[in-house]
Amino acid sequence: MERKDIDIKDTWDLSTIYNDHKSFYHDLEKAKTLIDELVSYQGKICNTIDSFYNFLTTKDQIERLVNKLYCYAHLNCDVEPNNQEYQTMMAATIGVLEASSVKISFIDNEIIEAKEKVLEYIKDPKLQKYTYKINSLMLFKDHILPKEQEELLAKAESIADTSSQVFNALRLEYDDVLENGEMKTLNNATLNQFLKSKDDNVRKQAYTNFFKEYKKFENVFAQTLSGVMKKDVFYGNVRKFDNALEASVFDDDVPSELFFKVLDSANVKYRHLFHRYNCLKKELLNKEIIYNYDLNIPLVSSIKKEYTIDKCFEIINECLKPFGQDYLKIINKAREERWIDYYPTPGKRIGAYSSGSYDTNPFILMNFIGDYNSLSTLIHELGHSVHSYLSNQNQESVNASYRIFVAEVASTVNETLLINYMINNAKNDQEKAYFIYEQLENCVGLIFRQPMFADFEHKLHTMAENNEPLSSQVITDLYAKLNQEYYGDDVVMDELVGWSCYYVPHFYYNYYVYKYTLGMTVALAIVNRILKGDQNQIDNYLNFLKSGGSMAPVDLLKKAGVDPLDDQIYADAFNYFENLLNQFETIKKTKKDV
Amino acid sequence: MERKDIDIKDTWDLSTIYNDHKSFYHDLEKAKTLIDELVSYQGKICNTIDSFYNFLTTKDQIERLVNKLYCYAHLNCDVEPNNQEYQTMMAATIGVLEASSVKISFIDNEIIEAKEKVLEYIKDPKLQKYTYKINSLMLFKDHILPKEQEELLAKAESIADTSSQVFNALRLEYDDVLENGEMKTLNNATLNQFLKSKDDNVRKQAYTNFFKEYKKFENVFAQTLSGVMKKDVFYGNVRKFDNALEASVFDDDVPSELFFKVLDSANVKYRHLFHRYNCLKKELLNKEIIYNYDLNIPLVSSIKKEYTIDKCFEIINECLKPFGQDYLKIINKAREERWIDYYPTPGKRIGAYSSGSYDTNPFILMNFIGDYNSLSTLIHELGHSVHSYLSNQNQESVNASYRIFVAEVASTVNETLLINYMINNAKNDQEKAYFIYEQLENCVGLIFRQPMFADFEHKLHTMAENNEPLSSQVITDLYAKLNQEYYGDDVVMDELVGWSCYYVPHFYYNYYVYKYTLGMTVALAIVNRILKGDQNQIDNYLNFLKSGGSMAPVDLLKKAGVDPLDDQIYADAFNYFENLLNQFETIKKTKKDV
């Protein structure tokens, strides 16, 4: 369907951001003027409490403006990528950001140098809102470099991203897959469909045809992957952190202990549960040998349910009832005020996200096709949107935006409430088994697979730190070994498994993937308690949503009632998995028609 | 033929470098110890004339040792790439270099800071040999950064080379070419053969199949090419040069005026000669439309002459007679003392080079197959080797190694003397036409094509400096436009011509290609005068060969009797081309059987 043929109520309303292009460019000019004004504070930011206050106010204004500009440009680009007017807006916004980055590299230094004065200033009521931000900056004292070196580092940004840029630009083509006598296209989107095939040859072919291309270009991928590791190590080193991991967790304001706790839980303490699941798969699929590319064969046949948008909102309202009327009002506001762009149209960005800025409502991009996955994605993105909405409503702009660390909690809580609702309201055993299976697969991805990724990237970083050469042989041998340990002895690895690491974009994100696991773990713990009717947990959770980024992630999560450093939440999360697995095994083994 | 089956006298003798592996590792350890010793000078290099002298002596010793180690490892690796012992030696040598780079980043600063003292010190006879090097370093005063920033820059080296590394790792595969009913392999090596085919379809197919792959991966190449431009701009900028070009010519110790003089001569003043040549090709090939991929169709059929190694030395001795007995003695020493590894063997590095170090003789790697090209390559590489040998004999180690800028002169002078000899001694018109044609093609590559490359890379650098986005569209449009101007109106560009820039490795070498043109121009001027019997020119030239890198390239060239800033040498070089073209046209138009 063309964009113009879509019912307007099913598209997002971006005119609430800017009514016309003139207003966009007016704000862009304003941002440039304010940046020049900001630069004029150089050398006198902290002279007086007034100069400090005015400086911060100007900085806030710029950030809000630039975020709003970026929001408008990127949302428009994502639905109309061929409209050159929006591309120009995007390039203009990024241009302003890039041009300012070296110019304003003096700021942090100047504030840190005036530490004592500044800590006095922020006791003043009108400056109190900056407390968390300024205190965080002061912690950076040992890692910030003198002004000239900071300027050098800012300039080095122009050459630091080549690895990621090349990785993103490298698009491979794959040989077709022969299925039912027909040659079918293999690509990122169809790979998973082929891996669900019941035909052994189709799965093996798809896996081979896909990953042999990564092997073909292995020397390029080894360069980009080792390049990004060296980049992380470089920044960690010049900023005087013990290693790249310490630099990354410092940035997130969490202790590195947390990283190892996540890894230890999934990769050591509870991995036997994943091995048990694989073993059950082998049994249920009735195979003598099970390969890693066999693990996606569905254990329950798919249910053909269709959901209209209205039906989705009906179910979503039902699932999220425990959060009370105020929460549900926001959900319905999102529908009524057209925050959401539902349907796929030619050229529209694939996938889904929730985005926005402090001075706009949240926006959701969907590629809604009416299946369960569309429903689940919608409630997930609404989780982000409500989180943003409540943060923006309750926090000053400086404290509103939250880190990825806590972001996934709000979305995953919603998604988990939905699937629990579906499991509990299943019409029959087959439907119940289907939803349990969906959730088991979902959990595997988040609480088992991501920690293996994290382990791999940590080992690569460590090798880069020790100047060990990261040849493709070293990388793929390591990845093959970790996969064997991960899947367990019951699963036989395909000879290409080592090269499958080259497909994963997340290794270019500097210790990102374990945050998924943490989000899921925390969400499972929260849902568990909510479903037990714990009203205190609900209140804590809603307060957490309203807190935005006003404190450290660990403190925010504690506010939500869950301490990520407490072993109990890992026990709860993996327990949840084990319970699902028990239920699933029982149904599959006792109800022969499922 | 396997390596073991080759007559030992036709392989190089590397035992003159190290007799056994133990001696190699002994020197490696010695180098490490000396590096630690060097680091211990930190803060006191220039305290006294003795500390300064001892410091420089240690530094010289390290450089000589490391060069010798590297020489041994890389020569062995190049003929026996699968021998892991040599790979380990190579990695160990590079490891020592990399590990020391940050540790010794203090040196230049410390010497520059003590400028006045140091300039006094080098008046002392035992330190006079450092005059050129120290004076050059002092010129760097405005571009060196404080110690901490230099250390930061040294660390950034670990991330600066990703673009080149990815470019080198990206190996493409090409569709076969149908020739005479047979599918034939297309690759880097066979492309030029196909482009010489008389069959229109074969040339078009080869060109299309080759460059469509570059188009397929255009976004990757655009990233690596713009990445390397940004890198050059970054270093130019942080080192306070006006632009990347100024940084590059500073490094070579030449004025940027020289760069523009080369470009202006080839791309403006004398380009009509190239257009005339293309026009003649169109006429001689009797084509209504001539495409850019038609220009390699031979205008003279190849002569089937075979040259044994002994025959080659006979001819080489004849050609180089003007240089006198001392020069010829070195040539024959190279043969007798086994400096040369002649024959191709499985796995041996392709192409040819002359290499070596101060404490070894020069070594030549060949892939000799007995045709004219083998002979020409041999005399070319011998030019480098004699240059190195004479430099090492006549200069202290600190002044022995010369820059690429002057390196190509010695080799090209020899090559040009050879082809003149072949033209003058041709047995018939066909042979004469063949050698003239060879030399015309050779000149086109060096004095016309490289300056177009240089213009292109300069424009890319300039765009990167202005933060203009270097998308593949921008890059390929620019390259297509320059090619049309370059070939002239008589030649029609294939639609893929814009993407052919992605094939050229030299754009990753930071203003490298114009040095080829300069080398050729200077060589043609020198040969012209030598052939006129100018004994003074011969003496100047031999003195130049003995001068190594003891002064600035322009001064060295002036010593050789040619001022690269003088318009006359360009006039001489392009005149030489025009004369050849006249001779060629006359033969082709008057002798119908050629």
Side-chain angles (χ1 to χ4, degrees), chain B residues 173-209:
Chain B
E173 284 176 12
Y174 312 96
D175 291 345
D176 284 348
V177 172
L178 180 70
E179 190 179 33
N180 300 329
E182 208 184 312
M183 296 309 289
K184 292 183 179 167
T185 306
L186 175 64
N187 56 35
N188 293 0
T190 60
L191 173 67
N192 279 330
Q193 288 312 310
F194 287 121
L195 292 181
K196 287 180 180 170
S197 166
K198 293 226 152 72
D199 180 340
D200 291 353
N201 283 327
V202 168
R203 290 192 310 281
K204 168 74 182 164
Q205 250 191 90
Y207 192 86
T208 305
N209 290 359

Short mmCIF file of all heavy atoms in Angstrom, two decimals, chain B residues 173-209:
data_model
loop_
_atom_site.label_atom_id
_atom_site.label_comp_id
_atom_site.label_asym_id
_atom_site.label_seq_id
_atom_site.Cartn_x
_atom_site.Cartn_y
_atom_site.Cartn_z
N GLU B 173 35.57 -11.14 -6.30
CA GLU B 173 35.58 -12.19 -7.32
C GLU B 173 34.80 -11.69 -8.52
O GLU B 173 33.83 -10.96 -8.37
CB GLU B 173 34.92 -13.45 -6.77
CG GLU B 173 35.82 -14.19 -5.81
CD GLU B 173 35.15 -15.39 -5.19
OE1 GLU B 173 34.07 -15.79 -5.67
OE2 GLU B 173 35.71 -15.92 -4.23
N TYR B 174 35.25 -12.09 -9.70
CA TYR B 174 34.66 -11.55 -10.93
C TYR B 174 34.07 -12.67 -11.77
O TYR B 174 34.60 -13.78 -11.78
CB TYR B 174 35.74 -10.80 -11.73
CG TYR B 174 36.56 -9.86 -10.88
CD1 TYR B 174 37.78 -10.25 -10.35
CD2 TYR B 174 36.08 -8.58 -10.57
CE1 TYR B 174 38.53 -9.39 -9.55
CE2 TYR B 174 36.82 -7.73 -9.77
CZ TYR B 174 38.05 -8.13 -9.26
OH TYR B 174 38.77 -7.29 -8.47
N ASP B 175 32.99 -12.34 -12.47
CA ASP B 175 32.41 -13.32 -13.40
C ASP B 175 33.40 -13.61 -14.53
O ASP B 175 34.16 -12.73 -14.95
CB ASP B 175 31.12 -12.76 -14.02
CG ASP B 175 30.01 -12.66 -12.99
OD1 ASP B 175 30.16 -13.27 -11.91
OD2 ASP B 175 29.00 -11.96 -13.26
N ASP B 176 33.36 -14.84 -15.01
CA ASP B 176 34.24 -15.25 -16.10
C ASP B 176 33.97 -14.44 -17.38
O ASP B 176 32.90 -13.83 -17.52
CB ASP B 176 34.02 -16.74 -16.43
CG ASP B 176 34.68 -17.63 -15.38
OD1 ASP B 176 35.46 -17.12 -14.57
OD2 ASP B 176 34.37 -18.84 -15.38
N VAL B 177 34.94 -14.48 -18.27
CA VAL B 177 34.80 -13.81 -19.57
C VAL B 177 34.77 -14.87 -20.65
O VAL B 177 35.59 -15.79 -20.65
CB VAL B 177 35.99 -12.84 -19.81
CG1 VAL B 177 35.96 -12.30 -21.23
CG2 VAL B 177 35.94 -11.71 -18.80
N LEU B 178 33.79 -14.74 -21.55
CA LEU B 178 33.67 -15.69 -22.66
C LEU B 178 34.57 -15.24 -23.81
O LEU B 178 34.37 -14.18 -24.39
CB LEU B 178 32.20 -15.73 -23.11
CG LEU B 178 31.88 -16.69 -24.28
CD1 LEU B 178 32.00 -18.15 -23.85
CD2 LEU B 178 30.46 -16.42 -24.81
N GLU B 179 35.59 -16.06 -24.10
CA GLU B 179 36.51 -15.72 -25.19
C GLU B 179 36.70 -16.95 -26.06
O GLU B 179 37.04 -18.02 -25.54
CB GLU B 179 37.86 -15.25 -24.63
CG GLU B 179 38.77 -14.65 -25.69
CD GLU B 179 40.11 -14.16 -25.13
OE1 GLU B 179 40.63 -14.77 -24.17
OE2 GLU B 179 40.62 -13.16 -25.65
N ASN B 180 36.50 -16.81 -27.35
CA ASN B 180 36.61 -17.94 -28.29
C ASN B 180 35.82 -19.15 -27.80
O ASN B 180 36.32 -20.28 -27.77
CB ASN B 180 38.08 -18.35 -28.47
CG ASN B 180 38.90 -17.21 -29.03
OD1 ASN B 180 38.38 -16.38 -29.79
ND2 ASN B 180 40.16 -17.12 -28.64
N GLY B 181 34.60 -18.91 -27.35
CA GLY B 181 33.74 -20.00 -26.92
C GLY B 181 34.11 -20.65 -25.61
O GLY B 181 33.56 -21.67 -25.22
N GLU B 182 35.05 -20.03 -24.89
CA GLU B 182 35.54 -20.64 -23.65
C GLU B 182 35.38 -19.65 -22.49
O GLU B 182 35.65 -18.46 -22.67
CB GLU B 182 37.03 -20.95 -23.85
CG GLU B 182 37.55 -22.12 -23.05
CD GLU B 182 39.07 -22.25 -23.27
OE1 GLU B 182 39.50 -22.22 -24.46
OE2 GLU B 182 39.80 -22.35 -22.27
N MET B 183 34.94 -20.12 -21.33
CA MET B 183 34.82 -19.23 -20.17
C MET B 183 36.19 -19.12 -19.52
O MET B 183 36.79 -20.12 -19.14
CB MET B 183 33.83 -19.79 -19.14
CG MET B 183 32.39 -19.89 -19.64
SD MET B 183 31.72 -18.37 -20.38
CE MET B 183 31.53 -17.32 -18.94
N LYS B 184 36.70 -17.89 -19.38
CA LYS B 184 38.05 -17.72 -18.83
C LYS B 184 38.03 -16.87 -17.57
O LYS B 184 37.20 -15.96 -17.43
CB LYS B 184 38.95 -17.09 -19.89
CG LYS B 184 39.21 -18.02 -21.05
CD LYS B 184 40.17 -17.40 -22.05
CE LYS B 184 40.43 -18.39 -23.19
NZ LYS B 184 41.10 -17.70 -24.32
N THR B 185 38.95 -17.17 -16.68
CA THR B 185 39.00 -16.51 -15.38
C THR B 185 39.41 -15.04 -15.51
O THR B 185 40.41 -14.71 -16.16
CB THR B 185 40.03 -17.22 -14.48
OG1 THR B 185 39.68 -18.60 -14.44
CG2 THR B 185 40.03 -16.64 -13.08
N LEU B 186 38.63 -14.19 -14.86
CA LEU B 186 38.96 -12.77 -14.82
C LEU B 186 39.48 -12.43 -13.42
O LEU B 186 38.87 -12.79 -12.42
CB LEU B 186 37.70 -11.94 -15.12
CG LEU B 186 37.82 -10.42 -15.02
CD1 LEU B 186 38.79 -9.87 -16.07
CD2 LEU B 186 36.44 -9.76 -15.20
N ASN B 187 40.62 -11.80 -13.35
CA ASN B 187 41.14 -11.32 -12.07
C ASN B 187 42.11 -10.17 -12.32
O ASN B 187 42.30 -9.75 -13.47
CB ASN B 187 41.80 -12.46 -11.28
CG ASN B 187 42.90 -13.14 -12.07
OD1 ASN B 187 43.63 -12.50 -12.83
ND2 ASN B 187 43.03 -14.45 -11.91
N ASN B 188 42.72 -9.68 -11.26
CA ASN B 188 43.66 -8.55 -11.39
C ASN B 188 44.71 -8.81 -12.46
O ASN B 188 45.13 -7.90 -13.17
CB ASN B 188 44.43 -8.34 -10.07
CG ASN B 188 43.53 -7.88 -8.97
OD1 ASN B 188 42.32 -7.73 -9.18
ND2 ASN B 188 44.08 -7.66 -7.79
N ALA B 189 45.16 -10.06 -12.53
CA ALA B 189 46.26 -10.39 -13.43
C ALA B 189 45.79 -10.51 -14.88
O ALA B 189 46.51 -10.13 -15.80
CB ALA B 189 46.92 -11.69 -12.97
N THR B 190 44.57 -11.04 -15.09
CA THR B 190 44.14 -11.29 -16.47
C THR B 190 43.39 -10.12 -17.10
O THR B 190 43.25 -10.06 -18.31
CB THR B 190 43.24 -12.55 -16.55
OG1 THR B 190 42.08 -12.34 -15.72
CG2 THR B 190 43.97 -13.79 -16.08
N LEU B 191 42.93 -9.17 -16.27
CA LEU B 191 42.17 -8.04 -16.81
C LEU B 191 42.89 -7.38 -17.99
O LEU B 191 42.32 -7.18 -19.06
CB LEU B 191 41.89 -7.00 -15.70
CG LEU B 191 41.25 -5.69 -16.20
CD1 LEU B 191 39.84 -5.93 -16.70
CD2 LEU B 191 41.22 -4.63 -15.09
N ASN B 192 44.17 -7.07 -17.78
CA ASN B 192 44.90 -6.37 -18.84
C ASN B 192 45.05 -7.19 -20.11
O ASN B 192 45.06 -6.65 -21.21
CB ASN B 192 46.27 -5.92 -18.34
CG ASN B 192 46.13 -4.63 -17.55
OD1 ASN B 192 45.23 -3.84 -17.83
ND2 ASN B 192 46.97 -4.45 -16.56
N GLN B 193 45.14 -8.52 -19.97
CA GLN B 193 45.20 -9.37 -21.16
C GLN B 193 43.90 -9.26 -21.95
O GLN B 193 43.92 -9.10 -23.17
CB GLN B 193 45.45 -10.83 -20.74
CG GLN B 193 46.87 -11.10 -20.25
CD GLN B 193 47.92 -10.51 -21.18
OE1 GLN B 193 47.88 -10.73 -22.39
NE2 GLN B 193 48.85 -9.73 -20.62
N PHE B 194 42.77 -9.34 -21.22
CA PHE B 194 41.48 -9.24 -21.91
C PHE B 194 41.31 -7.87 -22.59
O PHE B 194 40.75 -7.78 -23.66
CB PHE B 194 40.33 -9.46 -20.93
CG PHE B 194 40.17 -10.89 -20.49
CD1 PHE B 194 40.26 -11.24 -19.15
CD2 PHE B 194 39.91 -11.89 -21.42
CE1 PHE B 194 40.11 -12.56 -18.74
CE2 PHE B 194 39.77 -13.22 -21.03
CZ PHE B 194 39.87 -13.56 -19.68
N LEU B 195 41.82 -6.84 -21.94
CA LEU B 195 41.65 -5.50 -22.52
C LEU B 195 42.52 -5.30 -23.76
O LEU B 195 42.34 -4.35 -24.50
CB LEU B 195 41.95 -4.42 -21.47
CG LEU B 195 40.94 -4.32 -20.33
CD1 LEU B 195 41.32 -3.21 -19.36
CD2 LEU B 195 39.52 -4.08 -20.84
N LYS B 196 43.44 -6.24 -23.98
CA LYS B 196 44.25 -6.18 -25.20
C LYS B 196 43.64 -6.99 -26.34
O LYS B 196 44.16 -7.00 -27.45
CB LYS B 196 45.67 -6.69 -24.91
CG LYS B 196 46.49 -5.72 -24.09
CD LYS B 196 47.88 -6.25 -23.81
CE LYS B 196 48.65 -5.23 -22.97
NZ LYS B 196 49.91 -5.78 -22.47
N SER B 197 42.53 -7.67 -26.02
CA SER B 197 41.90 -8.52 -27.05
C SER B 197 41.42 -7.69 -28.23
O SER B 197 40.99 -6.55 -28.07
CB SER B 197 40.73 -9.27 -26.41
OG SER B 197 39.92 -9.82 -27.42
N LYS B 198 41.45 -8.29 -29.40
CA LYS B 198 40.93 -7.59 -30.59
C LYS B 198 39.41 -7.73 -30.68
O LYS B 198 38.77 -7.06 -31.49
CB LYS B 198 41.58 -8.20 -31.86
CG LYS B 198 43.09 -7.92 -31.96
CD LYS B 198 43.49 -7.47 -33.33
CE LYS B 198 44.71 -6.57 -33.33
NZ LYS B 198 45.98 -7.25 -33.03
N ASP B 199 38.84 -8.63 -29.86
CA ASP B 199 37.40 -8.89 -29.89
C ASP B 199 36.67 -7.87 -29.01
O ASP B 199 36.86 -7.83 -27.79
CB ASP B 199 37.18 -10.33 -29.39
CG ASP B 199 35.71 -10.73 -29.39
OD1 ASP B 199 34.85 -9.82 -29.40
OD2 ASP B 199 35.45 -11.95 -29.37
N ASP B 200 35.82 -7.03 -29.65
CA ASP B 200 35.12 -5.98 -28.92
C ASP B 200 34.35 -6.52 -27.71
O ASP B 200 34.35 -5.92 -26.64
CB ASP B 200 34.10 -5.27 -29.84
CG ASP B 200 34.79 -4.45 -30.92
OD1 ASP B 200 36.04 -4.33 -30.85
OD2 ASP B 200 34.09 -3.95 -31.81
N ASN B 201 33.71 -7.68 -27.93
CA ASN B 201 32.89 -8.24 -26.84
C ASN B 201 33.72 -8.65 -25.64
O ASN B 201 33.29 -8.52 -24.50
CB ASN B 201 32.12 -9.47 -27.34
CG ASN B 201 30.94 -9.05 -28.17
OD1 ASN B 201 30.34 -8.00 -27.90
ND2 ASN B 201 30.61 -9.83 -29.18
N VAL B 202 34.89 -9.16 -25.91
CA VAL B 202 35.75 -9.62 -24.82
C VAL B 202 36.19 -8.42 -23.96
O VAL B 202 36.11 -8.47 -22.73
CB VAL B 202 36.99 -10.37 -25.38
CG1 VAL B 202 38.03 -10.59 -24.29
CG2 VAL B 202 36.55 -11.71 -25.97
N ARG B 203 36.60 -7.35 -24.61
CA ARG B 203 37.04 -6.17 -23.84
C ARG B 203 35.91 -5.60 -23.02
O ARG B 203 36.05 -5.33 -21.83
CB ARG B 203 37.59 -5.09 -24.78
CG ARG B 203 38.91 -5.42 -25.45
CD ARG B 203 39.52 -4.18 -26.11
NE ARG B 203 38.56 -3.49 -26.96
CZ ARG B 203 38.22 -3.86 -28.18
NH1 ARG B 203 38.76 -4.93 -28.72
NH2 ARG B 203 37.33 -3.16 -28.87
N LYS B 204 34.77 -5.44 -23.68
CA LYS B 204 33.60 -4.85 -22.99
C LYS B 204 33.18 -5.72 -21.80
O LYS B 204 32.92 -5.23 -20.70
CB LYS B 204 32.46 -4.70 -24.00
CG LYS B 204 31.08 -4.38 -23.40
CD LYS B 204 30.98 -2.93 -22.93
CE LYS B 204 29.62 -2.65 -22.30
NZ LYS B 204 29.59 -1.42 -21.50
N GLN B 205 33.13 -7.05 -22.06
CA GLN B 205 32.76 -7.99 -20.99
C GLN B 205 33.73 -7.92 -19.81
O GLN B 205 33.32 -7.90 -18.66
CB GLN B 205 32.91 -9.41 -21.55
CG GLN B 205 31.66 -10.18 -21.78
CD GLN B 205 32.09 -11.62 -22.07
OE1 GLN B 205 32.23 -12.43 -21.18
NE2 GLN B 205 32.36 -11.90 -23.34
N ALA B 206 35.03 -7.94 -20.14
CA ALA B 206 36.04 -7.94 -19.08
C ALA B 206 35.91 -6.66 -18.26
O ALA B 206 35.90 -6.69 -17.02
CB ALA B 206 37.44 -8.05 -19.68
N TYR B 207 35.79 -5.53 -18.96
CA TYR B 207 35.68 -4.24 -18.25
C TYR B 207 34.43 -4.22 -17.36
O TYR B 207 34.49 -3.84 -16.20
CB TYR B 207 35.62 -3.10 -19.28
CG TYR B 207 35.81 -1.73 -18.66
CD1 TYR B 207 37.09 -1.21 -18.46
CD2 TYR B 207 34.71 -0.98 -18.26
CE1 TYR B 207 37.26 0.05 -17.89
CE2 TYR B 207 34.87 0.27 -17.68
CZ TYR B 207 36.15 0.78 -17.50
OH TYR B 207 36.32 2.02 -16.92
N THR B 208 33.32 -4.66 -17.93
CA THR B 208 32.05 -4.65 -17.18
C THR B 208 32.09 -5.61 -16.00
O THR B 208 31.75 -5.24 -14.88
CB THR B 208 30.89 -5.04 -18.12
OG1 THR B 208 30.90 -4.16 -19.24
CG2 THR B 208 29.56 -4.94 -17.40
N ASN B 209 32.51 -6.86 -16.28
CA ASN B 209 32.52 -7.85 -15.20
C ASN B 209 33.46 -7.44 -14.07
O ASN B 209 33.23 -7.75 -12.91
CB ASN B 209 32.93 -9.22 -15.74
CG ASN B 209 31.85 -9.82 -16.61
OD1 ASN B 209 30.80 -9.21 -16.80
ND2 ASN B 209 32.10 -10.99 -17.17
#
